[in-house]
Amino acid sequence: MERNFFLGRYLIWVTLLLGQLHGYKSCVEEERNALLEVKKYIISITREEVSDYINVLPTWTYDTKSDCCRWEGVKCNRTSRRVTGIAFGTLYLKENSLLNLSLLHPFQDVRSLNLSKNEDYDTTLFSGMFDDVLGYKSLGRLRSLEILDLSLNAFNNSIFPFLNAATSLTTLSLRRNFMDGPFPAKRYKSLRRSRNLEILDLSRNSLNNSIFHFLNAVTSLKTLFLRSNNMNGLFPVEELKDLTNLELLDLGENKFNGSIPIRVLPGMRKLKALDLSSNEFYASNGMQGICQMTNIQELDLSRNKLVGPFPSCLFGLTRIQVLDLSSNQLTGKVPPALGSLGYLKYLSLLDNNFEGVFSLGSLANLSELRFFQLSSKSKSLQVESEGSWKAKFQLRVFELPSCNLVTKA
Ligand SMILES: *[C@@H]1O[C@H](CO)[C@@H](O)[C@H](O)[C@H]1NC(C)=O
Ligand SMILES: *[C@@H]1O[C@H](CO)[C@@H](O)[C@H](O)[C@H]1NC(C)=O
Ligand SMILES: *[C@@H]1O[C@H](CO)[C@@H](O)[C@H](O)[C@H]1NC(C)=O
Ligand SMILES: *[C@@H]1O[C@H](CO)[C@@H](O)[C@H](O)[C@H]1NC(C)=O
Ligand SMILES: *[C@@H]1O[C@H](CO)[C@@H](O)[C@H](O)[C@H]1NC(C)=O
Ligand SMILES: *[C@@H]1O[C@H](CO)[C@@H](O)[C@H](O)[C@H]1NC(C)=O
Ligand SMILES: *[C@@H]1O[C@H](CO)[C@@H](O)[C@H](O)[C@H]1NC(C)=O
């Protein structure tokens, strides 16, 4: 009885829903036409040799019955039916194609604009932007724009004046473009107007340290990727001092060297994730700075030139979950105190010069540990696994290549 009642209610809901779908409002006419203008423009800059077999934006059709909110890459607000997201997907553009930003002015509610592509396709996208109506101020016209993905294009520093106008941005990706140094502070100081910018990805460009003057002003940043650029010299402590809201910093795959900063400015104490992998840092004894970042949950120092014993101040990072010290030149014993870092999920000590005896039993209490790697270039590392301890963790990956494993019953 009760069941039928619920079933009945359910059917009513289904009917209501179908009714709504049926009387579904289509997208706004003006925006639909504007999307078709964009498509026309993209066809005009598509490489001729592909136009025979590649259909540009095939779901964006002139069929008046087709709802543009359902076109591939288009997102709308459910109630207003205005366009809130535009993504072109992978395009096959002529060399040096520019994006005509005037074509985007009609999209007043657009929150997210994605000019990136599928990473697997080796094809040219945009190398610049222009607007013969509003000039550099163009992106400012899109007052709701929060997310701008320009990754995997061929943009160079000349687009910064455009980005300065996009003051509502919270997320900006310029990963894998052609940004490079020099970065004259005067000319590009303007991202300071982006008071809402929290996520900035500049990885895989050719930027050098001159970018820091420019980033200083973006104090709202929480996440900063500068991986794989041409930065060098000492850890940029001073340069980052104004970015007091940073929670994630990725400086991996650069040429930073010297010891890891002994002194860390108070601003950096909020860091939760720090990636300094694939640099040239040496001297593990200068690690006190990092050890003051007590909120750190992820620390990647792999593929550096760290020498000396395991930096024992790391045991103060009691919240750490991911610790990667692989491919360095650390020596001495693997400290049993690692077993006190109770939140560890991932621990890699692969490819160092550790020696002596390490007992797996010292990790027995790490109930979160899922990944553990240890190996040594020194022949004298022995890993001991006595039969008596019961691990609280369930490892999914456990590698001990070229270790002398001694099992005692
Ligand atoms: C959708 O549009 C309506 C009406 O303009 C607005 O009140 C609402 O906040 C919008 N929803 C989202 C998720 O932006
Ligand atoms: C750019 O788009 C605007 C708006 O549609 C148009 O008036 C202008 O002619 C376009 N410019 C070029 C060079 O395509
Ligand atoms: C932009 O589109 C690309 C390709 O479709 C996709 O991989 C990427 O995740 C999108 N970016 C955002 C911010 O959604
Ligand atoms: C930067 O890109 C613009 C637009 O494609 C181009 O005109 C300019 O020559 C480029 N500048 C450099 C230094 O490559
Ligand atoms: C950045 O690179 C340019 C050359 O591209 C050079 O003139 C400038 O001095 C470099 N700046 C820094 C801080 O390394
Ligand atoms: C550190 O890097 C700088 C800049 O590349 C270089 O001049 C210096 O020699 C390097 N120092 C060491 C000890 O490698
Ligand atoms: C694991 O925890 C138990 C109970 O707190 C304690 O007695 C034991 O010494 C710990 N073992 C290690 C290797 O830390």
PDB file of all heavy atoms in Angstrom, residues 237-261:
ATOM      1  N   VAL A 237      62.630  33.186  -1.910  1.00  0.00           N
ATOM      2  CA  VAL A 237      61.942  33.527  -0.654  1.00  0.00           C
ATOM      3  C   VAL A 237      61.402  34.955  -0.691  1.00  0.00           C
ATOM      4  O   VAL A 237      60.213  35.194  -0.491  1.00  0.00           O
ATOM      5  CB  VAL A 237      62.898  33.368   0.547  1.00  0.00           C
ATOM      6  CG1 VAL A 237      62.230  33.852   1.822  1.00  0.00           C
ATOM      7  CG2 VAL A 237      63.318  31.936   0.696  1.00  0.00           C
ATOM      8  N   GLU A 238      62.284  35.910  -0.983  1.00  0.00           N
ATOM      9  CA  GLU A 238      61.891  37.326  -1.009  1.00  0.00           C
ATOM     10  C   GLU A 238      60.813  37.569  -2.063  1.00  0.00           C
ATOM     11  O   GLU A 238      59.847  38.284  -1.839  1.00  0.00           O
ATOM     12  CB  GLU A 238      63.096  38.197  -1.360  1.00  0.00           C
ATOM     13  CG  GLU A 238      63.949  38.578  -0.178  1.00  0.00           C
ATOM     14  CD  GLU A 238      63.163  39.317   0.894  1.00  0.00           C
ATOM     15  OE1 GLU A 238      62.387  40.235   0.538  1.00  0.00           O
ATOM     16  OE2 GLU A 238      63.301  38.973   2.071  1.00  0.00           O
ATOM     17  N   GLU A 239      61.032  36.938  -3.205  1.00  0.00           N
ATOM     18  CA  GLU A 239      60.155  37.181  -4.349  1.00  0.00           C
ATOM     19  C   GLU A 239      58.723  36.750  -4.066  1.00  0.00           C
ATOM     20  O   GLU A 239      57.775  37.287  -4.616  1.00  0.00           O
ATOM     21  CB  GLU A 239      60.682  36.428  -5.575  1.00  0.00           C
ATOM     22  CG  GLU A 239      61.968  36.991  -6.159  1.00  0.00           C
ATOM     23  CD  GLU A 239      63.220  36.468  -5.472  1.00  0.00           C
ATOM     24  OE1 GLU A 239      63.112  35.916  -4.350  1.00  0.00           O
ATOM     25  OE2 GLU A 239      64.297  36.611  -6.064  1.00  0.00           O
ATOM     26  N   LEU A 240      58.571  35.754  -3.211  1.00  0.00           N
ATOM     27  CA  LEU A 240      57.232  35.224  -2.960  1.00  0.00           C
ATOM     28  C   LEU A 240      56.621  35.776  -1.681  1.00  0.00           C
ATOM     29  O   LEU A 240      55.544  35.367  -1.266  1.00  0.00           O
ATOM     30  CB  LEU A 240      57.293  33.691  -2.869  1.00  0.00           C
ATOM     31  CG  LEU A 240      57.634  32.942  -4.173  1.00  0.00           C
ATOM     32  CD1 LEU A 240      57.883  31.471  -3.892  1.00  0.00           C
ATOM     33  CD2 LEU A 240      56.502  33.090  -5.182  1.00  0.00           C
ATOM     34  N   LYS A 241      57.309  36.748  -1.071  1.00  0.00           N
ATOM     35  CA  LYS A 241      56.909  37.122   0.289  1.00  0.00           C
ATOM     36  C   LYS A 241      55.515  37.745   0.395  1.00  0.00           C
ATOM     37  O   LYS A 241      54.898  37.688   1.449  1.00  0.00           O
ATOM     38  CB  LYS A 241      57.960  38.019   0.941  1.00  0.00           C
ATOM     39  CG  LYS A 241      57.991  39.448   0.440  1.00  0.00           C
ATOM     40  CD  LYS A 241      58.985  40.242   1.288  1.00  0.00           C
ATOM     41  CE  LYS A 241      58.910  41.723   1.056  1.00  0.00           C
ATOM     42  NZ  LYS A 241      59.098  42.152  -0.339  1.00  0.00           N
ATOM     43  N   ASP A 242      55.044  38.323  -0.692  1.00  0.00           N
ATOM     44  CA  ASP A 242      53.717  38.952  -0.612  1.00  0.00           C
ATOM     45  C   ASP A 242      52.580  37.973  -0.870  1.00  0.00           C
ATOM     46  O   ASP A 242      51.414  38.301  -0.665  1.00  0.00           O
ATOM     47  CB  ASP A 242      53.611  40.102  -1.610  1.00  0.00           C
ATOM     48  CG  ASP A 242      54.556  41.235  -1.238  1.00  0.00           C
ATOM     49  OD1 ASP A 242      54.827  41.387  -0.029  1.00  0.00           O
ATOM     50  OD2 ASP A 242      55.026  41.942  -2.138  1.00  0.00           O
ATOM     51  N   LEU A 243      52.919  36.787  -1.330  1.00  0.00           N
ATOM     52  CA  LEU A 243      51.857  35.822  -1.655  1.00  0.00           C
ATOM     53  C   LEU A 243      51.498  35.026  -0.397  1.00  0.00           C
ATOM     54  O   LEU A 243      51.766  33.840  -0.276  1.00  0.00           O
ATOM     55  CB  LEU A 243      52.306  34.895  -2.788  1.00  0.00           C
ATOM     56  CG  LEU A 243      52.700  35.613  -4.089  1.00  0.00           C
ATOM     57  CD1 LEU A 243      52.997  34.608  -5.183  1.00  0.00           C
ATOM     58  CD2 LEU A 243      51.590  36.550  -4.551  1.00  0.00           C
ATOM     59  N   THR A 244      50.865  35.705   0.527  1.00  0.00           N
ATOM     60  CA  THR A 244      50.656  35.111   1.844  1.00  0.00           C
ATOM     61  C   THR A 244      49.476  34.149   1.894  1.00  0.00           C
ATOM     62  O   THR A 244      49.214  33.563   2.931  1.00  0.00           O
ATOM     63  CB  THR A 244      50.427  36.214   2.897  1.00  0.00           C
ATOM     64  OG1 THR A 244      49.366  37.029   2.412  1.00  0.00           O
ATOM     65  CG2 THR A 244      51.663  37.046   3.089  1.00  0.00           C
ATOM     66  N   ASN A 245      48.776  33.999   0.774  1.00  0.00           N
ATOM     67  CA  ASN A 245      47.648  33.059   0.783  1.00  0.00           C
ATOM     68  C   ASN A 245      47.959  31.749   0.074  1.00  0.00           C
ATOM     69  O   ASN A 245      47.088  30.887  -0.046  1.00  0.00           O
ATOM     70  CB  ASN A 245      46.426  33.700   0.118  1.00  0.00           C
ATOM     71  CG  ASN A 245      45.882  34.817   0.977  1.00  0.00           C
ATOM     72  OD1 ASN A 245      45.591  34.594   2.155  1.00  0.00           O
ATOM     73  ND2 ASN A 245      45.785  36.007   0.439  1.00  0.00           N
ATOM     74  N   LEU A 246      49.214  31.606  -0.365  1.00  0.00           N
ATOM     75  CA  LEU A 246      49.570  30.406  -1.128  1.00  0.00           C
ATOM     76  C   LEU A 246      49.359  29.127  -0.323  1.00  0.00           C
ATOM     77  O   LEU A 246      49.808  29.011   0.806  1.00  0.00           O
ATOM     78  CB  LEU A 246      51.027  30.452  -1.552  1.00  0.00           C
ATOM     79  CG  LEU A 246      51.398  31.117  -2.861  1.00  0.00           C
ATOM     80  CD1 LEU A 246      52.845  30.780  -3.191  1.00  0.00           C
ATOM     81  CD2 LEU A 246      50.492  30.686  -4.003  1.00  0.00           C
ATOM     82  N   GLU A 247      48.681  28.182  -0.956  1.00  0.00           N
ATOM     83  CA  GLU A 247      48.523  26.858  -0.348  1.00  0.00           C
ATOM     84  C   GLU A 247      49.240  25.782  -1.157  1.00  0.00           C
ATOM     85  O   GLU A 247      49.624  24.764  -0.640  1.00  0.00           O
ATOM     86  CB  GLU A 247      47.033  26.514  -0.226  1.00  0.00           C
ATOM     87  CG  GLU A 247      46.351  27.383   0.811  1.00  0.00           C
ATOM     88  CD  GLU A 247      44.869  27.134   0.915  1.00  0.00           C
ATOM     89  OE1 GLU A 247      44.355  26.204   0.268  1.00  0.00           O
ATOM     90  OE2 GLU A 247      44.215  27.893   1.648  1.00  0.00           O
ATOM     91  N   LEU A 248      49.358  26.034  -2.463  1.00  0.00           N
ATOM     92  CA  LEU A 248      50.071  25.076  -3.305  1.00  0.00           C
ATOM     93  C   LEU A 248      51.069  25.823  -4.177  1.00  0.00           C
ATOM     94  O   LEU A 248      50.711  26.793  -4.835  1.00  0.00           O
ATOM     95  CB  LEU A 248      49.086  24.310  -4.191  1.00  0.00           C
ATOM     96  CG  LEU A 248      49.682  23.201  -5.076  1.00  0.00           C
ATOM     97  CD1 LEU A 248      48.643  22.135  -5.366  1.00  0.00           C
ATOM     98  CD2 LEU A 248      50.248  23.715  -6.386  1.00  0.00           C
ATOM     99  N   LEU A 249      52.315  25.382  -4.140  1.00  0.00           N
ATOM    100  CA  LEU A 249      53.358  26.009  -4.950  1.00  0.00           C
ATOM    101  C   LEU A 249      54.141  24.923  -5.662  1.00  0.00           C
ATOM    102  O   LEU A 249      54.695  24.026  -5.023  1.00  0.00           O
ATOM    103  CB  LEU A 249      54.284  26.830  -4.044  1.00  0.00           C
ATOM    104  CG  LEU A 249      55.493  27.484  -4.729  1.00  0.00           C
ATOM    105  CD1 LEU A 249      55.059  28.474  -5.798  1.00  0.00           C
ATOM    106  CD2 LEU A 249      56.377  28.181  -3.689  1.00  0.00           C
ATOM    107  N   ASP A 250      54.176  25.007  -6.981  1.00  0.00           N
ATOM    108  CA  ASP A 250      54.922  24.024  -7.767  1.00  0.00           C
ATOM    109  C   ASP A 250      56.026  24.732  -8.541  1.00  0.00           C
ATOM    110  O   ASP A 250      55.749  25.486  -9.474  1.00  0.00           O
ATOM    111  CB  ASP A 250      53.963  23.299  -8.735  1.00  0.00           C
ATOM    112  CG  ASP A 250      54.666  22.208  -9.529  1.00  0.00           C
ATOM    113  OD1 ASP A 250      55.900  22.071  -9.417  1.00  0.00           O
ATOM    114  OD2 ASP A 250      53.964  21.488 -10.273  1.00  0.00           O
ATOM    115  N   LEU A 251      57.272  24.511  -8.112  1.00  0.00           N
ATOM    116  CA  LEU A 251      58.432  25.099  -8.795  1.00  0.00           C
ATOM    117  C   LEU A 251      59.277  24.008  -9.435  1.00  0.00           C
ATOM    118  O   LEU A 251      60.451  24.208  -9.755  1.00  0.00           O
ATOM    119  CB  LEU A 251      59.291  25.880  -7.790  1.00  0.00           C
ATOM    120  CG  LEU A 251      58.674  27.120  -7.141  1.00  0.00           C
ATOM    121  CD1 LEU A 251      59.622  27.710  -6.103  1.00  0.00           C
ATOM    122  CD2 LEU A 251      58.324  28.172  -8.175  1.00  0.00           C
ATOM    123  N   GLY A 252      58.679  22.828  -9.609  1.00  0.00           N
ATOM    124  CA  GLY A 252      59.415  21.677 -10.137  1.00  0.00           C
ATOM    125  C   GLY A 252      59.962  21.921 -11.534  1.00  0.00           C
ATOM    126  O   GLY A 252      59.526  22.816 -12.251  1.00  0.00           O
ATOM    127  N   GLU A 253      60.949  21.111 -11.909  1.00  0.00           N
ATOM    128  CA  GLU A 253      61.559  21.167 -13.247  1.00  0.00           C
ATOM    129  C   GLU A 253      62.041  22.553 -13.630  1.00  0.00           C
ATOM    130  O   GLU A 253      61.713  23.080 -14.686  1.00  0.00           O
ATOM    131  CB  GLU A 253      60.587  20.618 -14.309  1.00  0.00           C
ATOM    132  CG  GLU A 253      60.402  19.126 -14.217  1.00  0.00           C
ATOM    133  CD  GLU A 253      59.405  18.586 -15.239  1.00  0.00           C
ATOM    134  OE1 GLU A 253      59.338  19.131 -16.349  1.00  0.00           O
ATOM    135  OE2 GLU A 253      58.698  17.625 -14.909  1.00  0.00           O
ATOM    136  N   ASN A 254      62.786  23.182 -12.720  1.00  0.00           N
ATOM    137  CA  ASN A 254      63.489  24.410 -13.039  1.00  0.00           C
ATOM    138  C   ASN A 254      64.955  24.183 -12.691  1.00  0.00           C
ATOM    139  O   ASN A 254      65.370  23.027 -12.573  1.00  0.00           O
ATOM    140  CB  ASN A 254      62.881  25.573 -12.244  1.00  0.00           C
ATOM    141  CG  ASN A 254      61.614  26.099 -12.909  1.00  0.00           C
ATOM    142  OD1 ASN A 254      61.676  26.734 -13.949  1.00  0.00           O
ATOM    143  ND2 ASN A 254      60.455  25.805 -12.321  1.00  0.00           N
ATOM    144  N   LYS A 255      65.721  25.257 -12.525  1.00  0.00           N
ATOM    145  CA  LYS A 255      67.131  25.049 -12.177  1.00  0.00           C
ATOM    146  C   LYS A 255      67.477  25.751 -10.873  1.00  0.00           C
ATOM    147  O   LYS A 255      68.573  26.279 -10.720  1.00  0.00           O
ATOM    148  CB  LYS A 255      68.024  25.542 -13.313  1.00  0.00           C
ATOM    149  CG  LYS A 255      67.925  24.697 -14.565  1.00  0.00           C
ATOM    150  CD  LYS A 255      69.198  24.784 -15.398  1.00  0.00           C
ATOM    151  CE  LYS A 255      69.166  23.850 -16.581  1.00  0.00           C
ATOM    152  NZ  LYS A 255      68.097  24.223 -17.543  1.00  0.00           N
ATOM    153  N   PHE A 256      66.539  25.782  -9.948  1.00  0.00           N
ATOM    154  CA  PHE A 256      66.846  26.374  -8.647  1.00  0.00           C
ATOM    155  C   PHE A 256      67.941  25.559  -7.978  1.00  0.00           C
ATOM    156  O   PHE A 256      67.971  24.331  -8.099  1.00  0.00           O
ATOM    157  CB  PHE A 256      65.604  26.399  -7.761  1.00  0.00           C
ATOM    158  CG  PHE A 256      64.592  27.416  -8.205  1.00  0.00           C
ATOM    159  CD1 PHE A 256      63.383  27.025  -8.740  1.00  0.00           C
ATOM    160  CD2 PHE A 256      64.869  28.781  -8.108  1.00  0.00           C
ATOM    161  CE1 PHE A 256      62.444  27.966  -9.159  1.00  0.00           C
ATOM    162  CE2 PHE A 256      63.935  29.734  -8.528  1.00  0.00           C
ATOM    163  CZ  PHE A 256      62.730  29.322  -9.048  1.00  0.00           C
ATOM    164  N   ASN A 257      68.822  26.253  -7.256  1.00  0.00           N
ATOM    165  CA  ASN A 257      69.898  25.518  -6.586  1.00  0.00           C
ATOM    166  C   ASN A 257      70.140  26.100  -5.199  1.00  0.00           C
ATOM    167  O   ASN A 257      69.341  26.874  -4.680  1.00  0.00           O
ATOM    168  CB  ASN A 257      71.158  25.514  -7.464  1.00  0.00           C
ATOM    169  CG  ASN A 257      71.770  26.897  -7.633  1.00  0.00           C
ATOM    170  OD1 ASN A 257      71.380  27.844  -6.964  1.00  0.00           O
ATOM    171  ND2 ASN A 257      72.733  26.999  -8.541  1.00  0.00           N
ATOM    172  N   GLY A 258      71.231  25.729  -4.603  1.00  0.00           N
ATOM    173  CA  GLY A 258      71.519  26.204  -3.259  1.00  0.00           C
ATOM    174  C   GLY A 258      70.813  25.329  -2.255  1.00  0.00           C
ATOM    175  O   GLY A 258      70.219  24.303  -2.606  1.00  0.00           O
ATOM    176  N   SER A 259      70.875  25.742  -1.001  1.00  0.00           N
ATOM    177  CA  SER A 259      70.177  24.924  -0.024  1.00  0.00           C
ATOM    178  C   SER A 259      68.726  25.389  -0.002  1.00  0.00           C
ATOM    179  O   SER A 259      68.409  26.520  -0.355  1.00  0.00           O
ATOM    180  CB  SER A 259      70.827  25.027   1.343  1.00  0.00           C
ATOM    181  OG  SER A 259      70.671  26.331   1.821  1.00  0.00           O
ATOM    182  N   ILE A 260      67.875  24.515   0.411  1.00  0.00           N
ATOM    183  CA  ILE A 260      66.467  24.856   0.534  1.00  0.00           C
ATOM    184  C   ILE A 260      66.394  25.904   1.649  1.00  0.00           C
ATOM    185  O   ILE A 260      67.175  25.845   2.584  1.00  0.00           O
ATOM    186  CB  ILE A 260      65.691  23.561   0.787  1.00  0.00           C
ATOM    187  CG1 ILE A 260      65.640  22.847  -0.556  1.00  0.00           C
ATOM    188  CG2 ILE A 260      64.325  23.820   1.363  1.00  0.00           C
ATOM    189  CD1 ILE A 260      65.040  21.515  -0.542  1.00  0.00           C
ATOM    190  N   PRO A 261      65.545  26.898   1.532  1.00  0.00           N
ATOM    191  CA  PRO A 261      65.694  28.085   2.392  1.00  0.00           C
ATOM    192  C   PRO A 261      65.707  27.770   3.878  1.00  0.00           C
ATOM    193  O   PRO A 261      64.865  27.044   4.374  1.00  0.00           O
ATOM    194  CB  PRO A 261      64.455  28.903   2.044  1.00  0.00           C
ATOM    195  CG  PRO A 261      63.496  27.919   1.522  1.00  0.00           C
ATOM    196  CD  PRO A 261      64.313  26.925   0.782  1.00  0.00           C
TER     197      PRO A 261
END
